[in-house]
Amino acid sequence: MFLRGAFRALALNRNLTPIAVRTFASKQREVPALTCDRYPVQRGSFAELTDDDVAVFRGILGGADTSRVLTAADEVQDYNIDYLRSVRGYGRVVLKPRTTAEVAELLRYCNERRLAVCPQGGNTGLVGGSVPVFDEVVLSLQLMDTIERIDEYSGIVVCQAGCVLATLEEQVGARGLVMPLDLGAKGSCHIGGNVSTNAGGLRLVRYGNLHGSVLGVEAVTAEGRVLDLMSNFKKDNTGYHLKHLFIGSEGTLGIITRLSMFCPTASRSVNVAFLGLHSYDDVKRTFLAAKRGLGEVLSSCEMIDAASLDSCTRFFGLQSPIDKYPFYMLIETSGSDAGHDEEKLARFLEQTMEQGLVQDGTVTNDSTKMK
């Protein structure tokens, strides 16, 4: 049903939480074939893990009875399989350090023994980059989840790399700030993994990529050397900014263990519009109209095709808030003046519908319906 005159309030059957999203990947399904059997890849000239190596790892991480060294097959399996369950390695050990010093000692030993290492965060990546290809040692940052400091005056958060994005969002939100990135996997992805992959997310239109938001990092190189590249200044024009080498390097140059990030002030007025369109050309023209018409309040603009929306609604038992269209757009505005923002959004929607770009849609400023 086309709504030409007004937009309905968004009314989903139930909210989709980050936990529900994570459940989608963790449901019991068939174990995928080994990556090395499916693809023409060759193992490098690395050493093979021995019981003596495991004993050394246990010594570094707390002793023989430590729970931070996993070796049982059923315990390590989930760390060998990617989020989409499309690739699988056969790593025999998972290490869980808590400090940068422990990461450095583990990498120093693995480098001396020529043991290949696979760093892993929340394991939410969609391209299989966070799991072993062969029998690499998995170094998980799950336990490095300390938020060291949130400065509401400067807007800077300092934390370990294993902090879950949703947890950071909640903590900085309580101080009137907002994380400069937002992802569908925020309930389980790690901020260190976000930085290591230079994740863009839904707020890239507003805040740019992480090269502009990350102020500093602490990283450990393969030979166990700790690089302190931390900074607590938004404006820092002193010397080389080597942090940029690690942002997006995906662990190839070193493992990020700590970081500092600038968090903007949270917007008091947020609106979300979900729109239906006939063609991809209409999507492009609507995006251009949004940039020109919404200007400074445009904070997010995403496209969804019909097949993707249908997959989500069928799997989770949800219902689309509007009728079926070949393409959909999710547009978010964020500002400080609700009246001003709503007026701009209404004018933009009216114009795009008059031009035949947007066919139907729904708008909400209710935070419970934006999740």
Side-chain angles (χ1 to χ4, degrees):
M1 168 177 162
F2 292 175
L3 299 179
R4 306 294 297 181
F7 286 82
R8 295 170 289 175
L10 179 61
L12 299 177
N13 290 344
R14 55 187 173 89
N15 290 326
L16 180 59
T17 65
I19 295 176
V21 174
R22 185 57 179 167
T23 303
F24 172 69
S26 60
K27 285 194 173 184
Q28 294 298 321
R29 288 184 285 166
E30 183 178 350
V31 174
L34 289 173
T35 304
C36 61
D37 291 339
R38 294 180 57 193
Y39 300 98
V41 291
Q42 292 186 337
R43 186 181 186 277
S45 58
F46 298 103
E48 294 190 5
L49 186 75
T50 66
D51 291 340
D52 289 339
D53 296 325
V54 174
V56 172
F57 294 149
R58 292 188 186 279
I60 295 174
L61 297 182
D65 297 328
T66 182
S67 60
R68 296 193 285 144
V69 178
L70 308 181
T71 57
D74 59 333
E75 292 180 322
V76 303
Q77 177 168 283
D78 286 345
Y79 296 88
N80 276 297
I81 301 175
D82 74 319
Y83 180 82
L84 294 179
R85 302 184 72 85
S86 60
V87 292
R88 176 169 65 98
Y90 54 95
R92 293 171 46 202
V93 64
V94 176
L95 309 178
K96 294 186 174 184
R98 285 199 178 100
T99 66
T100 299
E102 289 179 343
V103 173
E105 194 169 354
L106 291 169
L107 289 182
R108 190 176 303 114
Y109 176 80
C110 288
N111 184 62
E112 293 171 355
R113 277 278 292 123
R114 289 193 58 79
L115 291 169
V117 176
C118 174
Q120 187 176 104
N123 195 16
T124 60
L126 303 179
V127 294
S130 59
V131 296
V133 176
F134 296 99
D135 58 342
E136 295 92 329
V137 172
V138 177
L139 197 154
S140 170
L141 302 181
Q142 284 180 336
L143 300 184
M144 298 185 66
D145 59 354
T146 300
I147 301 176
E148 300 178 10
R149 182 172 71 258
I150 300 175
D151 188 334
E152 60 188 290
Y153 295 100
S154 64
I156 295 174
V157 57
V158 179
C159 64
Q160 288 185 304
C163 289
V164 174
L165 179 57
T167 302
L168 285 172
E169 186 176 73
E170 179 182 355
Q171 292 301 313
V172 302
R175 291 165 174 79
L177 305 172
V178 64
M179 293 297 292
L181 76 162
D182 186 17
L183 305 170
K186 64 183 177 182
S188 48
C189 67
H190 294 181
I191 190 64
N194 300 150
V195 174
S196 295
T197 57
N198 194 20
L202 303 178
R203 294 174 180 154
L204 185 136
V205 170
R206 182 68 168 270
Y207 302 117
N209 67 25
L210 292 179
H211 280 284
S213 299
V214 175
L215 305 181
V217 301
E218 179 181 79
V220 183
T221 62
E223 72 273 17
R225 180 184 177 189
V226 178
L227 299 180
D228 185 356
L229 308 174
M230 294 290 286
S231 174
N232 292 325
F233 299 99
K234 176 65 174 174
K235 180 182 179 181
D236 185 353
N237 53 6
T238 58
Y240 298 109
H241 285 196
L242 298 179
K243 65 180 182 183
H244 293 297
L245 293 175
F246 291 91
I247 299 172
S249 67
E250 302 191 25
T252 56
L253 300 179
I255 299 177
I256 295 175
T257 54
R258 294 172 64 236
L259 59 98
S260 57
M261 179 176 289
F262 175 72
C263 298
T265 301
S267 300
R268 293 197 298 267
S269 168
V270 179
N271 297 277
V272 171
F274 186 71
L275 313 175
L277 306 95
H278 279 323
S279 70
Y280 182 63
D281 283 339
D282 289 344
V283 170
K284 292 191 295 182
R285 292 171 62 191
T286 302
F287 174 54
L288 187 59
K291 289 197 295 182
R292 292 173 174 173
L294 297 176
E296 78 286 353
V297 300
L298 178 64
S299 56
S300 180
C301 187
E302 297 287 322
M303 183 203 79
I304 311 168
D305 60 33
S308 299
L309 183 65
D310 182 62
S311 296
C312 294
T313 52
R314 283 190 296 106
F315 186 88
F316 292 109
L318 300 173
Q319 181 179 351
S320 172
I322 63 176
D323 290 337
K324 291 187 177 181
Y325 292 92
F327 294 93
Y328 304 89
M329 292 185 73
L330 189 70
I331 294 178
E332 179 190 75
T333 64
S334 302
S336 58
D337 187 327
H340 170 266
D341 298 349
E342 291 171 6
E343 181 180 348
K344 293 194 74 167
L345 181 58
R347 185 165 58 249
F348 157 74
L349 294 173
E350 181 180 358
Q351 292 173 351
T352 53
M353 294 186 78
E354 287 178 351
Q355 296 168 11
L357 301 177
V358 174
Q359 303 302 316
D360 193 5
T362 180
V363 178
T364 184
N365 57 11
D366 185 343
S367 61
T368 64
K369 296 175 181 177
M370 297 179 190
K371 300 296 184 180

